[in-house]
Amino acid sequence: MSRVLLLGSGRLCDSLFRDLGQRAEPKAAVAVERLPEWRAPADGDVVLDARRPSSGQSAAALLEEVRQTLAAGAHWIDLSRDREHVLGISALDEFAKERGRVALAGAGLFPGLVEPFVRARLQDVKRVNEVLIGLALGAGAAWDAADFADVLAGVDRSIAMSIGGERTQREFWGDTRWFEHPSPVGLRKSSNLDAPDLGLYLERPYRSAGVRLSVALSGGLGERAMRLLLWLHRRGLVADCSRHAARLASFGGGRAGQEGAPSSVTIAVRGIDAKSLPLERRISFQTSGPLAELEAVPARLALRALLAPEGEPLAPGARAAAGVVDEHQLESFARAQGFTVRRGDLGGWRA
């Protein structure tokens, strides 16, 4: 029997705990122990880190927890949204391979949900020009104070991104623009946010010329609250924005069970095809329930691939949560869990 040490509290951790307890794979009996913080595992364990805020400690401190986990003979999966940690975990790649263990970082929305679709597009396009990612919080998203503390951790950092092949720096929550999601969400005013994807897809094998993540909060009141908080912070009137995370969540995070537009994660890959003609592929995942349920999907699939692989087992090593499942596995699993999945291209969204 495998033992999973599930780290964290809150809605995301609840979703993973419920899944492990009620729908664990019959081929792989799983014992689950829920812990608020990391502790040294035993040989053969899997540490599943769903702590929020995921940026609550430095990337160096988190990397040390991963190293000690691997040294103990255990595997590691986390749902961190922090770019430095997710891209930096590859520093432990040789260490993990020597011990025959797997460490996956970012098995949540970013890059876990996005990467299978982007990777599949390498078969369609001769050259990738842009990867555009949009996150729109819906009325029932139920993002809480910990989620917003995660977002606000980047308030004093500029966002390094590539636009048209040129490296540039963008302001946190800047460059507000319209981002198109399929109906019933539609066009949403969205602002820049950092994510591991902004660096991951600039490297081989993706080699995109530009990557951007645009986020819209639930309702106009949430956006105005965010703008006011940032205005006060930049004038020195609010020193620590994370102290206001709960208030921001109450305005722009949505509430579980509330009726209204669903939450939407939309990915668009633009490039040119073999005939050098413009090509665009889109996919969108939508849910009227808590967004944590969608964020947990990539981690659930990664854990399944680790404990009860249907094909080739995961190769040992430490890396971003990429190459774990293909887009069709992800889409099929998401649909089976009740999420709406829409695809589209340059001609628009398909039914």
Side-chain angles (χ1 to χ4, degrees):
M1 176 178 287
S2 301
R3 186 176 68 147
V4 176
L5 301 181
L6 179 59
L7 310 184
S9 59
R11 201 176 296 275
L12 178 60
C13 198
D14 290 343
S15 176
L16 289 164
F17 185 73
R18 184 170 59 252
D19 175 63
L20 290 169
Q22 297 177 4
R23 296 190 292 272
E25 290 294 309
K27 301 178 197 173
V30 177
V32 185
E33 185 175 352
R34 191 167 175 176
L35 303 170
E37 290 296 336
W38 180 87
R39 77 156 190 239
D43 186 25
D45 286 349
V46 180
V47 174
L48 181 54
D49 184 2
R51 288 174 289 185
R52 284 290 178 268
S54 60
S55 53
Q57 57 183 322
S58 70
L62 185 53
L63 199 67
E64 179 58 22
E65 290 184 357
V66 180
R67 191 194 69 78
Q68 291 187 40
T69 296
L70 297 171
H75 302 285
W76 174 278
I77 300 172
D78 69 50
L79 289 85
S80 175
R81 301 170 185 155
D82 182 71
R83 188 204 300 214
E84 185 181 355
H85 166 67
V86 174
L87 301 184
I89 199 171
S90 60
L92 295 174
D93 189 47
E94 289 301 320
F95 188 79
K97 288 176 178 176
E98 289 170 3
R99 285 152 181 79
R101 293 296 178 263
V102 174
L104 298 173
L109 297 179
F110 314 114
L113 190 76
V114 178
E115 191 275 339
F117 182 76
V118 177
R119 174 164 35 94
R121 301 290 69 77
L122 301 181
Q123 308 304 315
D124 302 335
V125 301
K126 182 169 71 174
R127 186 184 74 225
V128 177
N129 291 336
E130 287 185 300
V131 177
L132 303 177
I133 309 162
L135 168 61
L137 301 190
W143 258 24
D144 60 16
D147 288 302
F148 277 93
D150 222 18
V151 169
L152 292 169
V155 71
D156 291 318
R157 306 177 200 160
S158 58
I159 301 174
M161 64 172 66
S162 178
I163 300 177
E166 292 187 11
R167 301 293 178 104
T168 184
Q169 301 284 329
R170 286 294 190 268
E171 186 179 51
F172 174 87
W173 215 258
D175 287 3
T176 299
R177 60 187 58 223
W178 293 99
F179 190 99
E180 182 191 5
H181 298 267
S183 61
V185 179
L187 286 170
R188 294 288 299 275
K189 276 190 175 180
S190 306
S191 303
N192 287 337
L193 199 64
D194 203 359
D197 309 64
L198 272 63
L200 181 66
Y201 305 137
L202 299 181
E203 305 301 331
R204 291 184 183 275
Y206 317 95
R207 293 299 297 271
S208 176
V211 187
R212 184 190 293 270
L213 169 62
S214 302
V215 178
L217 301 184
S218 177
L221 190 57
E223 179 67 22
R224 289 194 293 274
M226 174 68 87
R227 294 283 173 193
L228 176 59
L229 178 62
L230 296 177
W231 185 87
L232 293 170
H233 176 67
R234 286 164 187 152
R235 282 155 183 77
L237 300 175
V238 172
D240 183 3
C241 287
S242 64
R243 294 181 59 185
H244 298 268
R247 182 177 293 273
L248 194 59
S250 70
F251 289 129
R255 294 177 176 83
Q258 186 170 345
E259 294 184 0
S263 297
S264 180
V265 180
T266 298
I267 306 114
V269 177
R270 296 172 177 169
I272 60 172
D273 64 14
K275 297 181 180 180
S276 297
L277 296 174
L279 178 147
E280 180 174 318
R281 295 286 184 266
R282 312 176 194 171
I283 193 169
S284 182
F285 300 86
Q286 295 187 343
T287 177
S288 293
L291 194 57
E293 300 291 333
L294 180 58
E295 188 166 5
V297 164
R300 289 167 61 183
L301 288 172
L303 192 60
R304 175 184 289 189
L306 190 61
L307 297 178
E310 296 178 358
E312 289 292 321
L314 290 181
R319 54 195 181 273
V324 179
V325 296
D326 66 37
E327 64 167 338
H328 298 297
Q329 287 176 295
L330 178 64
E331 180 177 352
S332 177
F333 187 83
R335 289 184 187 276
Q337 304 307 309
F339 301 106
T340 300
V341 184
R342 296 276 303 279
R343 285 181 177 263
D345 51 30
L346 279 170
W349 292 100
R350 297 194 293 273

